[in-house]
Amino acid sequence: MAKPVVFVIGASGNIGSATVQALSAKYSDKVEIRAGVRNPDKADKLKAIAGVTVVKAEMGEEVELPKTLKGVDALLIVTPGIEHQAPISIKTAEVAKAAGVKFIAVAGGATGPSVGAPMAEIAETVSNLGVPYTILQLPMFVDNYWGLKGGIVGQSSIFSPVDPTKPFATVVVEDAGKAAAAILADPQKHAGKSYIIISESHTYNDVAAAFSEVLGKEVKYVRVSYEATKKAMTDMGAQEWVIPLLMEAYQLIDSGSPIMNPANTGDFIAITGEQP
């Protein structure tokens, strides 16, 4: 009997790659794993993962993508980090439905007003397609703390406009991949559900303390103004559309908004049976 086909589109990114790795490590005996990328010639790391077939698949494309998705049982759409992520993610889901995909999971940011509006639109549309689905909301990534390296190495400091006493939810990319893989491997169990995958909630004071302990030196948290932060991002070449979203996310943390610090209901443990 043929194994169910699971497909990750957007597999070359951090979440997609982590999902493919988790599928290979734990579920390769149960499912056939396909990793969809825009350019397979640049996907050597994915090709090296045991039991994975890398195929060309471009999100939102309407000519070749329907053919590529024929016969797929479960699809994960990893929302892309682009300005217009909602339309391309929705189009991908619509193409998947037309191709006969039996289950669609979507992984992206939080749902809610403003900063969460794109994911909210995606979730609303996918939930009304008439195809079994799961929504995976992902908070801020712990892995992005690599971006703090310059300040820590050069000045033993972390710079941010956020109140260092305000908590916010985070997720480790590997945890997000494990959760997504578990859902793809048993889609019926998770159909119709929306999850928030949280590894830990902490403050920037906690982050500074953790770096201090690991590095064996004091790492200070330095709170800077929002204007200074915007200028620094612009000087570093951040995309123009990204900056206001990041500023808004920081402000939501400062205000204690549940969009940035939702309650941890244990979804990761419930899905994977593991501790984050």
Side-chain angles (χ1 to χ4, degrees):
M1 184 176 177
K3 293 186 289 188
V5 177
V6 300
F7 196 111
V8 179
I9 190 165
S12 59
N14 292 334
I15 299 302
S17 177
T19 302
V20 171
Q21 291 181 48
L23 284 166
S24 172
K26 196 168 183 179
Y27 305 104
S28 60
D29 61 329
K30 300 177 182 178
V31 298
E32 179 183 332
I33 308 163
R34 299 180 189 172
V37 298
R38 292 183 65 184
N39 188 349
D41 292 336
K42 296 182 178 180
D44 290 342
K45 289 183 179 180
L46 288 172
K47 292 176 183 177
I49 301 174
V52 175
T53 301
V54 176
V55 298
K56 180 177 175 57
E58 187 169 346
M59 292 183 66
E61 195 273 329
E62 298 181 71
V63 178
E64 296 301 324
L65 186 58
K67 304 173 189 175
T68 303
L69 294 179
K70 285 287 185 183
V72 169
D73 292 283
L75 170 69
L76 173 66
I77 300 171
V78 182
T79 59
I82 59 175
E83 184 173 6
H84 303 294
Q85 63 176 253
I88 195 170
S89 299
I90 290 169
K91 176 55 66 176
T92 302
E94 292 171 343
V95 169
K97 177 184 178 179
V101 173
K102 299 174 184 176
F103 172 84
I104 299 172
V106 181
T111 62
S114 45
V115 71
M119 190 60 180
E121 181 182 356
I122 294 166
E124 175 70 16
T125 303
V126 170
S127 66
N128 287 298
L129 279 179
V131 178
Y133 71 92
T134 298
I135 305 299
L136 272 177
Q137 299 179 60
L138 305 175
M140 297 178 70
F141 296 116
V142 171
D143 309 64
N144 287 345
Y145 291 156
W146 284 109
L148 304 174
K149 180 180 178 180
I152 292 173
V153 171
Q155 302 178 60
S156 296
S157 298
I158 295 170
F159 300 93
S160 172
V162 176
D163 181 338
T165 68
K166 296 288 187 178
F168 53 93
T170 62
V171 66
V172 176
V173 166
E174 182 179 356
D175 285 347
K178 287 180 178 180
I183 289 167
L184 291 175
D186 192 2
Q188 290 185 345
K189 180 179 178 180
H190 303 283
K193 297 181 180 180
S194 179
Y195 297 115
I196 303 176
I197 307 303
I198 298 173
S199 301
E200 182 183 71
S201 291
H202 52 236
T203 68
Y204 268 111
N205 277 341
D206 296 330
V207 175
F211 274 111
S212 297
E213 181 178 353
V214 170
L215 296 175
K217 69 173 185 177
E218 183 183 10
V219 175
K220 299 178 180 179
Y221 181 84
V222 180
R223 191 177 187 187
V224 296
S225 71
Y226 276 87
E227 284 305 313
T229 303
K230 288 168 65 176
K231 183 179 185 305
M233 288 181 176
T234 301
D235 292 344
M236 287 188 295
Q239 296 183 64
E240 195 171 317
W241 65 273
V242 171
I243 296 175
L245 290 180
L246 288 174
M247 293 300 101
E248 183 177 1
Y250 293 150
Q251 289 167 343
L252 287 169
I253 294 173
D254 279 347
S255 70
S257 170
I259 294 175
M260 300 305 294
N261 191 36
N264 188 347
T265 56
D267 287 347
F268 177 80
I269 298 172
I271 294 167
T272 66
E274 301 179 18
Q275 293 293 323

